[in-house]
Amino acid sequence: MIKRFLTEKVDQLFKEYSAVIITGPRQIGKSTLIKKLLKIENLTKITFDDTALRTNAQNNSNIFFEAYSTPMFIDEVQKAPDIFNSIKIKIDEIEKPSLYLLTGSQKFKLMKGANESLGGRAAILEMQSLSQAEINGFDNLTIINDYSKMHDRFLKYSKYKDIKIIERIINGSMPKIINGDITDIQKYYETYIVTTLFKDIDDDILKIYNATKFEKFLKVISNYAGNLINKESIAREVEIKSATVDVWLNVLETVGVIFFLQPYHSNNLSKLIKTPKLYFNDTGMLCYLLNITTSIDFLNYAKCGNLFENFVVSEINKQFINEGRDEQLYFLRDKNDNDKEIDIIIEKGKNIYPIEIKMAEVIEQKHFKNYAILKNIKNKTIKPMIVVANTTLLNKTSDDTIVYPAWML
């Protein structure tokens, strides 16, 4: 079984808090982490996928909580939003840590009822599908680190430098696929979308009255991966209202299918794009929606560079998620010149870390040209550019630019 980086964090927080909530998409390993990776004695396990149990919990919450002992694990807790207030009452009544482990397939901030009832009483963690570091058995190391740590990582794991990144992008990082439980990847994603994703949305969030159009919507937005979102264009293509595009994008973000990078803003940089960029959390689903099944399909896709970018952004995002951190990633683009862009901006205190993403195997000086955009940002220390590329070697140029191979993520 693949070790999940969040295991130790969950274990630590459960000893400190009355409740720990882990949110993330279906089938990414939340329940497996709690049931098999955590070693909690006498853990009561409940799932609200069980309709009768869920109904009983909502209608008779006092009796329900008296019937089951703590520590208690409740899976798919978002299906019974009325239960959050009852959990709050029990936490306030018992006043000790290690009571409730809760998992849900919706983001906590967007989960109905949870924020109001459990805010401040529970530790909140997000979880995503397997990171490349978890798949490879690497240590988790965020990309914004000293070059010496990067170099140590390269030496430690250099035998993996020939990993076929394109195949990794196509296959995605869902545990059932990586563990070899699934052989027909296309059928897996087809089934996941129709029987899991659509059903959860329809049952818990929003009635999808036209499943055919919603599936078309998914396929249309897949072409925007790594790009600025154009809601009016999407609405025309799917033949829905722009307001519906907003609602459906919010739904997909809520269930963890997509996420957005917001544009970076600075008082010294006035001519910047203000539209967010869209990314898929799992590139396997993205490639399924685009009907990309082979490396040839991938390379023939006109926007294959965007798919590589989506992969890198998602992996960097997972690095922070796997440390239990809610790190905000940004991008920067000149609204008058689309070529003037930095793919990722990470701001840490007074420091700004710029990251460019290039699918090229050979990195040249032209790939660093956009670093100059940052010269007008005042009162910040601009760290050397990191260029993540589809190359095999870690390198540091004469101007301190770091070429970081994607396999090391």
Side-chain angles (χ1 to χ4, degrees):
M1 185 178 297
I2 295 174
K3 177 185 175 183
R4 302 305 300 262
F5 291 134
L6 274 180
T7 305
E8 292 177 4
K9 192 71 176 178
V10 174
D11 191 41
Q12 169 207 331
L13 292 174
F14 194 51
K15 291 172 182 174
E16 299 172 0
Y17 286 80
S18 298
V20 174
I21 303 176
I22 306 173
T23 67
R26 285 270 199 166
Q27 299 182 19
I28 58 163
K30 302 185 298 294
S31 299
T32 300
L33 186 152
I34 290 173
K35 291 178 181 178
K36 296 183 179 179
L37 296 178
L38 284 179
K39 307 299 181 184
I40 299 174
E41 293 184 0
N42 303 315
L43 181 66
T44 302
K45 304 177 184 71
I46 292 166
T47 176
F48 282 162
D49 272 334
D50 184 323
T51 305
L53 198 63
R54 182 172 74 241
T55 302
N56 182 41
Q58 294 197 103
N59 294 340
N60 307 285
S61 61
N62 289 334
I63 297 174
F64 175 84
F65 281 105
E66 290 300 325
Y68 295 99
S69 62
T70 58
M72 182 187 295
F73 165 43
I74 304 178
D75 192 22
E76 297 304 326
V77 69
Q78 82 285 344
K79 289 182 172 290
D82 296 339
I83 208 75
F84 290 118
N85 192 54
S86 300
I87 293 173
K88 167 187 173 291
I89 292 170
K90 294 299 288 185
I91 287 173
D92 291 347
E93 177 186 307
I94 300 174
E95 291 187 322
K96 72 173 189 177
S98 308
L99 296 176
Y100 300 103
L101 283 163
L102 311 173
T103 59
S105 302
Q106 297 175 15
K107 281 183 173 289
F108 177 76
K109 293 177 182 177
L110 305 173
M111 197 186 295
K112 183 180 178 183
N115 212 5
E116 295 85 348
S117 298
L118 296 181
R121 290 174 173 82
I124 317 299
L125 292 170
E126 181 183 351
M127 189 171 174
Q128 278 298 332
S129 55
L130 292 162
S131 68
Q132 294 304 298
E134 287 173 319
I135 293 170
N136 296 331
F138 295 177
D139 300 323
N140 191 48
L141 181 75
T142 62
I143 197 167
I144 52 171
N145 256 295
D146 297 336
Y147 183 76
S148 60
K149 291 183 179 179
M150 295 180 183
H151 190 254
D152 289 344
R153 186 178 182 81
F154 174 79
L155 294 177
K156 184 175 182 180
Y157 300 121
S158 59
K159 67 179 181 180
Y160 293 91
K161 68 181 185 299
D162 294 321
I163 286 172
K164 293 181 171 64
I165 292 294
I166 291 176
E167 286 185 13
R168 285 281 176 90
I169 295 171
I170 295 169
N171 292 341
S173 51
M174 297 297 275
K176 285 186 177 181
I177 293 172
I178 300 302
N179 289 330
D181 300 330
I182 299 294
T183 54
D184 189 337
I185 295 175
Q186 298 304 297
K187 180 58 67 176
Y188 172 79
Y189 282 111
E190 176 190 332
T191 304
Y192 183 91
I193 289 170
V194 173
T195 65
T196 302
L197 180 61
F198 283 10
K199 186 178 184 301
D200 277 356
I201 291 171
D202 209 47
D203 288 349
D204 303 334
I205 304 175
L206 178 76
K207 288 295 179 186
I208 303 295
Y209 294 104
N210 193 326
T212 302
K213 280 200 172 180
F214 193 78
E215 189 166 4
K216 182 178 180 181
F217 173 77
L218 266 174
K219 290 180 181 295
V220 168
I221 67 166
S222 67
N223 280 290
Y224 285 86
N227 264 313
L228 302 177
I229 197 76
N230 186 327
K231 296 173 184 176
E232 290 74 20
S233 177
I234 293 169
R236 285 193 300 272
E237 196 166 346
V238 185
E239 297 179 311
I240 55 177
K241 296 178 180 178
S242 291
T244 303
V245 173
D246 277 322
V247 172
W248 286 0
L249 286 173
N250 183 62
V251 165
L252 291 174
E253 184 182 17
T254 299
V255 296
V257 171
I258 61 171
F259 66 101
F260 296 97
L261 250 58
Q262 298 297 328
Y264 182 78
H265 291 296
S266 167
N267 293 333
N268 309 113
L269 299 170
S270 57
K271 297 178 180 179
L272 296 179
I273 286 285
K274 297 181 179 180
T275 305
K277 293 175 73 173
L278 179 147
Y279 296 90
F280 279 71
N281 276 305
D282 180 64
T283 56
M285 179 181 289
L286 172 58
C287 288
Y288 164 77
L289 291 168
L290 293 168
N291 199 29
I292 293 173
T293 61
T294 68
S295 297
I296 293 174
D297 293 338
F298 183 97
L299 294 171
N300 285 338
Y301 178 60
K303 301 175 185 175
C304 61
N306 293 80
L307 300 185
F308 182 79
E309 178 182 328
N310 192 125
F311 169 78
V312 172
V313 173
S314 176
E315 287 300 315
I316 291 174
N317 193 40
K318 288 177 191 176
Q319 289 177 349
F320 292 105
I321 287 172
N322 286 336
E323 288 193 343
R325 294 160 59 185
D326 184 15
E327 192 72 46
Q328 181 64 58
L329 308 183
Y330 301 93
F331 76 98
L332 188 153
R333 182 187 289 185
D334 189 318
K335 67 181 179 181
N336 296 323
D337 186 350
N338 287 343
D339 288 334
K340 290 184 177 179
E341 176 178 14
I342 296 194
D343 295 316
I344 301 176
I345 295 285
I346 301 174
E347 189 173 33
K348 299 289 292 179
K350 291 289 185 179
N351 296 326
I352 287 181
Y353 297 84
I355 302 171
E356 277 280 67
I357 302 167
K358 303 296 178 185
M359 200 171 77
E361 295 182 1
V362 178
I363 298 302
E364 302 172 12
Q365 193 63 36
K366 64 180 181 181
H367 294 128
F368 314 149
K369 64 180 180 180
N370 290 335
Y371 188 77
I373 303 173
L374 301 171
K375 68 176 186 285
N376 293 323
I377 298 179
K378 308 300 182 186
N379 303 317
K380 297 285 184 182
T381 300
I382 311 300
K383 294 293 185 176
M385 176 78 81
I386 300 172
V387 180
V388 181
N390 190 22
T391 185
T392 57
L393 300 178
L394 176 71
N395 187 30
K396 192 174 186 180
T397 67
S398 57
D399 61 355
D400 286 340
T401 296
I402 297 168
V403 178
Y404 194 100
W407 66 263
M408 272 179 54
L409 291 169

